[in-house]
Amino acid sequence: YIPINQPPTMKLSLPPALLSILLRGSATTYASAFTLSKAYSSSTFHPSSTVATRAPLSAFSSSHNAINNLQRLRGGDSTLNMAAERPFNTWTFDKHCESMDWTPAPEASLTAVSTADGEAVDDADLVIVGVVAPAKDDTDEEEDGDEEKELDPIVLTGKAKELDEALGGALTELAAENSKAFQNGASAGSMTPAMRIVGYNNDKAQRYILLGLGAKDKNKEAGSVNVMKVGSAVASACHDQKKVGSCNVLLPSQMEADNILKAFSTAFHSSLYADNRYRTGKKVEFKAEDVKTVQLFLEDSGVSNEDANSAIATGAQLAKGVSLTKDIVNAPHNVLNSESLADTAKRIAAESGGS
């Protein structure tokens, strides 16, 4: 208000929320906020003198306790190094944000090899065996609602059968113990609990998981939706199984077409996305941080290793685009503005060979 017959004055009431906003700026802005707080404490000030002038840092050195109290309003400590406290690049009152940080790509490398190359499928910390359930006939579809129906024992073929025999039938037992939930792999992306085996391969502990690839369909190849569920399930297993440095995944011939591997790779890499740009402390989470290599073993492959890995690389690039889209959508307005978005476009052009 402006009292009658008196020089223009102004009463300022700064709520803690506004002080918190002011204190998110630079040290100079911090000084300005402190100047405003002094004016607020004295209830009345002249705009021409106090508001228009930013106090130097020395102006509040003698009132360090007051500064500490203001700093606590924004949840920080008493340090004046505001930039060091910020976990991410953002704006200040002195300078807007010129760029947006990108979430780094997953560190785990995904590659494909043929079982004909002679590499050992079981030479990894985690071995995931893909299982295709028998095709359903008309009788099975009519009896789908019967939960008490017992399933026939799982039938493993090819490399999966050889591996099961080498393990003394452990994979068959694993499927039988989880038959009600696993249903012999009838649901794409379903998985059994991990089974630990010690002493089979160089006396090191290994984990084995059966992965459902869906029911066999003689008239169709594996659908992209089911394949993406499988890729996401493999990524989840790599994340959930701690202290696993390597993972081998055995896939049958139904999963080897180029488009199938591309969809698998897209889902795998997308599932490892974790936006930690605005997180600190215990909220920071890295997906499958211990896993360094994931190998897909393609059985009876009609696709060369070169073509298979090219399809996987294409899927990884698609996942990178999905992740960048999420980064843009998740970025707050104090980070993403017209200039930082333009900078993002320039980086995309530079990385993709555009101009």
Side-chain angles (χ1 to χ4, degrees):
Y1 66 91
I2 300 177
I4 300 175
N5 299 325
Q6 290 187 18
T9 59
M10 183 185 302
K11 284 214 170 191
L12 177 65
S13 178
L14 293 181
L18 180 55
L19 283 177
S20 177
I21 293 174
L22 289 173
L23 293 181
R24 294 180 187 275
S26 64
T28 305
T29 305
Y30 199 156
S32 300
F34 179 70
T35 304
L36 291 174
S37 68
K38 288 188 67 178
Y40 168 59
S41 64
S42 62
S43 300
T44 305
F45 67 97
H46 289 274
S48 60
S49 60
T50 309
V51 176
T53 304
R54 289 187 173 183
L57 293 180
S58 59
F60 56 88
S61 59
S62 62
S63 303
H64 200 256
N65 292 334
I67 295 175
N68 289 346
N69 292 333
L70 292 176
Q71 179 70 352
R72 292 189 187 98
L73 288 176
R74 64 184 298 274
D77 54 26
S78 60
T79 180
L80 298 182
N81 188 0
M82 307 290 285
E85 293 177 10
R86 297 192 197 96
F88 58 91
N89 183 33
T90 183
W91 65 278
T92 70
F93 281 92
D94 299 319
K95 188 176 183 181
H96 59 271
C97 187
E98 297 179 341
S99 63
M100 180 193 73
D101 295 332
W102 293 11
T103 298
E107 293 186 3
S109 66
L110 180 65
T111 57
V113 296
S114 172
T115 55
D117 293 344
E119 292 191 40
V121 177
D122 54 358
D123 187 19
D125 299 329
L126 174 63
V127 180
I128 300 177
V129 180
V131 177
V132 177
K136 288 186 177 182
D137 55 29
D138 295 337
T139 304
D140 292 333
E141 292 179 358
E142 292 175 359
E143 298 178 356
D144 277 345
D146 186 5
E147 297 182 358
E148 301 299 326
K149 179 184 176 182
E150 293 186 4
L151 295 175
D152 295 330
I154 192 171
V155 178
L156 301 176
T157 59
K159 288 291 183 181
K161 181 179 179 180
E162 294 178 10
L163 183 59
D164 185 41
E165 292 175 350
L167 295 171
L171 298 181
T172 300
E173 292 181 8
L174 180 62
E177 290 174 358
N178 299 276
S179 60
K180 187 174 181 179
F182 186 59
Q183 296 287 306
N184 287 346
S187 178
S190 61
M191 306 185 82
T192 64
M195 173 182 61
R196 290 177 178 266
I197 295 181
V198 180
Y200 167 67
N201 192 352
N202 298 326
D203 295 328
K204 69 177 182 179
Q206 293 177 291
R207 305 171 208 182
Y208 289 82
I209 294 177
L210 294 179
L211 169 64
L213 303 178
K216 186 176 182 179
D217 191 336
K218 296 180 180 179
N219 300 321
K220 297 180 181 179
E221 65 178 9
S224 59
V225 174
N226 285 349
V227 172
M228 297 193 79
K229 290 180 180 178
V230 172
S232 297
V234 172
S236 296
C238 291
H239 175 67
D240 295 338
Q241 301 298 320
K242 304 303 181 185
K243 298 182 180 180
V244 168
S246 58
C247 173
N248 288 348
V249 183
L250 178 61
L251 297 176
S253 57
Q254 293 94 326
M255 301 286 292
E256 295 169 357
D258 287 356
N259 60 325
I260 296 300
L261 293 175
K262 181 173 67 176
F264 182 100
S265 175
T266 301
F268 174 82
H269 289 97
S270 295
S271 298
L272 296 180
Y273 172 83
D275 189 355
N276 293 310
R277 296 172 299 165
Y278 315 118
R279 297 174 179 172
T280 57
K282 295 181 179 180
K283 294 183 179 180
V284 175
E285 179 186 31
F286 297 100
K287 299 289 186 71
E289 59 181 332
D290 297 324
V291 178
K292 303 304 179 185
T293 60
V294 178
Q295 282 190 306
L296 304 182
F297 282 76
L298 309 179
E299 192 170 3
D300 300 328
S301 177
V303 180
S304 67
N305 288 349
E306 182 179 356
D307 290 341
N309 284 300
S310 177
I312 289 174
T314 300
Q317 289 300 315
L318 290 173
K320 186 177 180 180
V322 173
S323 297
L324 179 56
T325 303
K326 292 179 180 178
D327 282 350
I328 294 174
V329 172
N330 293 340
H333 294 300
N334 59 327
V335 171
L336 188 64
N337 52 49
S338 57
E339 185 163 349
S340 58
L341 184 59
D343 177 75
T344 299
K346 291 178 182 178
R347 290 177 60 186
I348 294 174
E351 292 189 7
S352 60
S355 59

